[in-house]
Amino acid sequence: MIKKFGYLSISPLLVLAGGLYFGILPQLSPDSNSYMNFSGARTAGYPIFLKFFELLGGLSAVVIAQYGIAAIAGIYLSQAIKSFSGSRLIAAAAAALAIGNPVCLKFHNQILTESLFYSLLLIILGSLVAIFSHQKRSSIWVFSLAIGASLFVRPTAFAYLPLMVILLGLGWDGLKGRRRAFIATAIFFPVLFLFGDHASFRIVHGDQPRGSLAPLHLFAKASMIDSNTQNPFARDNPRWALWQEMEDGYAPTRQFVQQAPSLTSRAFMSPFFEVFAQYQFARAEINLSAQQAGTTPHEIMVDVARKRLAANPSGYLGNAALNYYALWTIFKGSYPTQVEELKTYFAETPVPESKGKKTVFPLADQPSKISIIARPVLWGFWFLTTVICIIGLYLLWRRQLTPLWRVQILLSLMIHGNFALIALTGVGIPRYTMTMWPAMAVIAVLSLIPVWKFLSEVRRR
């Protein structure tokens, strides 16, 4: 029994080890309160999840539930990979790599969406593998359910929706004669959960307008780029003063980032300054301009930000590219050479202040040894997934795609699509990177299947 089903125990054992090591003490962050109180800017999934388990036993019950869901999702992924590869060892390795990352295990103690989003990704991965394993419609239902639930938890799950279209385009044999049924099944739960999110908001907030973080993100991105044009607003327009504050008040910050000694140092600093602009830069000017214009702060932020972004679209894309690079380049504040470079730069060039406030960078006191391994590993994943996409397009053109290649292409596009959406709409911070770790782990292990089959053939000879 142990030999036959032992691979299924890997996920529960690793999750249990994580729970014993990190405990069940919940970790709160500045964003936790907005989920606990169901802010109008949040989707309903995680606030409902929190409220349900808080009623059962407080935030500690939430942590236990997050560990438990991760264990169940890991078992599902293990079984799917076993059916797909025919190897218990491959299944065990995928579970160990996807679940056992200590950074990811710590997600389950955090009162943030990371844990639930991560566990749902495990189910999405398992269902995609299962779709190409036994081609049963039940796997598509699971796939649809997990994507819908992910949308309910975090808006970045919209990056998963193109996977349904790509599945159709990859020429999957299981779709022959069942395309309409697949489309209906695939969109059922995403649509259901989107309606559920809207209904949940109305139940809690009534007729109150739905909040959004988009104005904050747009304003920050517009502040991080040069306008390349004169102020488009008339001097008697309240928006004129806010434009000038973004143009002049944040100019030292932009210059400070642009003059950084390396691309990686820029990628380290830029997200912090962008978050600073989201919540702290020009608050008084925003409120005053909105009051004078007879509108809301968010509306006036959007008005001015759109003008700046439209005036310099290449600057916006450059900001997105920097965030994308930052997502693939972790441990920037603890990598040995990076720490020394940043300390020297900060000593020679003082960090600019905005209205007496200064961004604080969390540089490590001592360089991290694990970063020496982790950074090239993550860059290796970027290279691997990019090569898979390129070769996959060639094989698709030649109509030579095997089930393994189809799965690898889907997972690679999932990772790049998720990172691209984050880079375009948010900031490149490590916790967003590590949320996609399971997909990278599964790609790495599935890439070993041809090697495993070759070795099996050698043994049989």
Side-chain angles (χ1 to χ4, degrees):
M1 290 291 291
I2 293 175
K3 183 178 179 181
K4 190 172 184 179
F5 298 107
Y7 69 96
L8 293 176
S9 67
I10 298 296
S11 296
L13 287 175
L14 286 171
V15 167
L16 178 61
L20 291 174
Y21 183 80
F22 296 114
I24 60 170
L25 186 67
Q27 296 177 359
L28 299 177
S29 74
D31 287 340
S32 299
N33 190 60
S34 64
Y35 294 110
M36 295 167 66
N37 295 313
F38 192 3
S39 162
R42 301 298 185 183
T43 49
Y46 196 59
I48 291 174
F49 175 83
L50 286 177
K51 186 61 66 177
F52 177 77
F53 284 100
E54 274 191 280
L55 292 174
L56 293 181
L59 291 179
S60 292
V62 172
V63 173
I64 294 171
Q66 290 182 162
Y67 273 109
I69 292 170
I72 294 170
I75 291 172
Y76 176 74
L77 175 63
S78 299
Q79 181 56 46
I81 291 179
K82 163 62 173 60
S83 299
F84 182 77
S85 66
S87 167
R88 289 186 288 271
L89 183 60
I90 291 287
L97 198 58
I99 302 287
N101 189 320
V103 176
C104 298
L105 283 171
K106 283 197 283 189
F107 285 160
H108 310 310
N109 288 81
Q110 299 169 1
I111 306 303
L112 292 169
T113 56
E114 265 67 28
S115 173
L116 210 52
F117 196 74
Y118 164 93
S119 296
L120 288 167
L121 177 57
L122 294 175
I123 297 174
I124 291 172
L125 297 173
S127 63
L128 276 174
V129 172
I131 284 171
F132 289 100
S133 179
H134 49 62
Q135 300 182 1
K136 291 181 180 178
R137 193 174 178 184
S138 59
S139 298
I140 302 176
W141 281 110
V142 176
F143 176 66
S144 174
L145 173 62
I147 287 184
S150 297
L151 285 168
F152 202 42
V153 170
R154 185 188 281 183
T156 51
F158 276 103
Y160 295 158
L161 295 181
L163 295 176
M164 301 174 182
V165 179
I166 297 168
L167 255 175
L168 292 171
L170 288 179
W172 173 42
D173 294 337
L175 286 173
K176 290 180 179 178
R178 295 190 290 177
R179 288 180 178 271
R180 290 183 180 178
F182 167 80
I183 294 171
T185 304
I187 67 174
F188 176 78
F189 281 112
V191 172
L192 180 66
F193 276 106
L194 287 173
F195 274 114
D197 176 63
H198 178 76
S200 300
F201 178 84
R202 291 299 165 211
I203 291 171
V204 174
H205 297 283
D207 294 331
Q208 176 183 326
R210 187 107 197 214
S212 173
L213 297 177
L216 301 178
H217 291 294
L218 283 173
F219 178 81
K221 290 188 177 298
S223 299
M224 289 298 296
I225 64 172
D226 295 316
S227 66
N228 291 342
T229 187
Q230 293 183 339
N231 195 323
F233 299 105
R235 280 184 174 269
D236 58 351
N237 188 327
R239 294 164 181 79
W240 185 90
L242 183 56
W243 173 287
Q244 286 304 124
E245 181 61 25
M246 296 167 74
E247 185 71 17
D248 302 329
Y250 227 51
T253 296
R254 292 191 295 270
Q255 187 177 17
F256 182 76
V257 174
Q258 291 164 4
Q259 291 179 349
S262 69
L263 176 64
T264 305
S265 289
R266 286 179 59 201
F268 172 73
M269 294 186 292
S270 182
F272 287 99
F273 281 121
E274 194 167 325
V275 171
F276 185 92
Q278 289 173 12
Y279 297 103
Q280 298 187 62
F281 171 60
R283 298 301 104 173
E285 288 78 5
I286 292 168
N287 292 329
L288 179 61
S289 297
Q291 184 180 4
Q292 292 173 343
T295 186
T296 66
H298 278 190
E299 286 177 350
I300 205 161
M301 289 168 77
V302 171
D303 289 346
V304 179
R306 282 177 175 169
K307 288 283 188 180
R308 287 184 65 87
L309 294 172
N312 187 6
S314 62
Y316 166 67
L317 293 177
N319 172 269
L322 193 61
N323 276 312
Y324 179 81
Y325 175 78
L327 287 166
W328 285 106
T329 310
I330 58 176
F331 290 101
K332 293 179 286 295
S334 60
Y335 195 77
T337 56
Q338 210 69 49
V339 170
E340 294 305 315
E341 180 179 275
L342 287 165
K343 284 182 177 179
T344 301
Y345 184 57
F346 294 158
E348 296 175 351
T349 313
V351 178
E353 294 186 4
S354 176
K355 304 296 181 182
K357 297 178 181 179
K358 183 166 67 174
T359 297
V360 178
F361 298 102
L363 278 180
D365 294 329
Q366 295 294 329
S368 167
K369 294 180 180 178
I370 194 173
S371 68
I372 300 173
I373 300 173
R375 179 180 289 186
V377 165
L378 204 62
W379 282 350
F381 278 123
W382 175 86
F383 179 79
L384 175 63
T385 52
T386 302
V387 168
I388 286 173
C389 291
I390 294 170
I391 295 177
L393 286 173
Y394 172 75
L395 293 177
L396 178 62
W397 175 63
R398 295 292 301 270
R399 297 184 180 180
Q400 295 176 349
L401 284 177
T402 63
L404 177 60
W405 270 105
R406 290 185 175 108
V407 172
Q408 295 282 65
I409 292 168
L410 280 166
L411 300 191
S412 298
L413 291 174
M414 171 193 286
I415 295 169
H416 285 289
N418 187 272
F419 282 7
L421 182 61
I422 291 171
L424 289 165
T425 61
V427 294
I429 55 179
R431 65 186 177 97
Y432 294 158
T433 300
M434 297 314 297
T435 304
M436 294 304 294
W437 171 257
M440 300 179 204
V442 170
I443 286 174
V445 174
L446 291 184
S447 298
L448 298 176
I449 290 179
V451 178
W452 175 259
K453 289 182 176 179
F454 173 77
L455 294 176
S456 298
E457 286 292 329
V458 170
R459 283 200 301 269
R460 279 195 291 267
R461 292 173 187 173

